[in-house]
Amino acid sequence: MPDLPPGPHVMGLPVQGRCAPALSPPPLGRAWVLPPGPESVRYARTVLAEALTSAGVPRSAIGDAMLMVSELATNAHQHAPDHGPHELWLYACGAPGAGPGGPSGDGPAEGLGQARCAVFDRHASARLPGYSWTSGDYGRGLSIVRELSEGRWGMLRTLSRSAPRAQGKAVWFAVPAAVRLPAELVAPPYGTVVPAPSV
């Protein structure tokens, strides 16, 4: 597959509704500032697993979500290391502040809703910078995200949660289970930003 032309694409196809080329407000929910370096991947896995466990997400879905967030945090670390600090977001689908064409999605059904997870970096390009679709392991990681999320993933040009004027992108996926997120993730203080752990 040739290199992608400029513009919103996911897995080689133009994206309709999953990726907003215009800047959108970030979705509200819990945000964690990731520590710099490779430690960011382990930290992202740990805090996401704890949050999803507290929400009663099935163990198999937590395992899939941990694998997906590992891929996204690794990609941010490898391909946007100078565009940090990176952030991990967890929010309810349709949460206040979700932008058009981004991670707002469908509404909840029968009291349960979709939880979404995103990794944000401050690289403002509408493409996924440094990701190769034609060689190596880079494309394979995003293929894992596509498969495990059943195609419910994408990229949003948006703003940082820890530095609201900083532009960048959030690559997101749907947690593969219908869940009822705890109130602290969807209601005040739903705007909480957890600082990076001290090293």
Side-chain angles (χ1 to χ4, degrees), residues 88-118:
L88 171 68
W89 299 347
L90 180 64
Y91 51 93
C93 185
S104 55
D106 303 324
E110 297 180 1
L112 296 177
Q114 186 182 92
R116 294 198 180 184
C117 177

Side-chain angles (χ1 to χ4, degrees), residues 32 34-35 38-54 62 65-67 69-70 73 88 90 117 197:
W32 294 264
L34 299 179
E39 172 65 15
S40 63
V41 179
R42 186 193 68 80
Y43 182 70
R45 287 171 57 94
T46 298
V47 297
L48 181 62
E50 290 172 355
L52 294 180
T53 298
S54 71
I62 293 174
M66 290 174 65
L67 180 54
V69 81
S70 293
L88 171 68
L90 180 64
C117 177

Side-chain angles (χ1 to χ4, degrees), residues 52-195:
L52 294 180
T53 298
S54 71
V57 174
R59 187 174 299 173
S60 62
I62 293 174
D64 288 347
M66 290 174 65
L67 180 54
M68 288 188 281
V69 81
S70 293
E71 297 296 339
L72 297 189
T74 297
N75 281 341
H77 165 64
Q78 290 181 343
H79 304 300
D82 299 325
H83 298 279
H86 303 143
E87 301 169 19
L88 171 68
W89 299 347
L90 180 64
Y91 51 93
C93 185
S104 55
D106 303 324
E110 297 180 1
L112 296 177
Q114 186 182 92
R116 294 198 180 184
C117 177
V119 173
F120 174 88
D121 64 65
R122 298 185 191 189
H123 198 301
S125 172
R127 297 178 68 186
L128 300 177
Y131 294 17
S132 169
W133 303 99
T134 58
S135 63
D137 292 331
Y138 304 143
R140 292 182 195 149
L142 294 176
S143 294
I144 289 171
V145 174
R146 179 186 63 180
E147 292 299 320
L148 293 180
S149 68
E150 299 177 350
R152 295 174 298 166
W153 74 288
M155 189 262 289
L156 176 70
R157 289 186 63 207
T158 187
L159 300 171
S160 166
R161 287 284 309 282
S162 63
R165 294 187 179 180
Q167 297 184 15
K169 71 176 185 307
V171 184
W172 60 270
F173 63 84
V175 174
V179 299
R180 182 177 289 107
L181 288 176
E184 64 267 19
L185 291 178
V186 296
Y190 57 75
T192 299
V193 177
V194 180

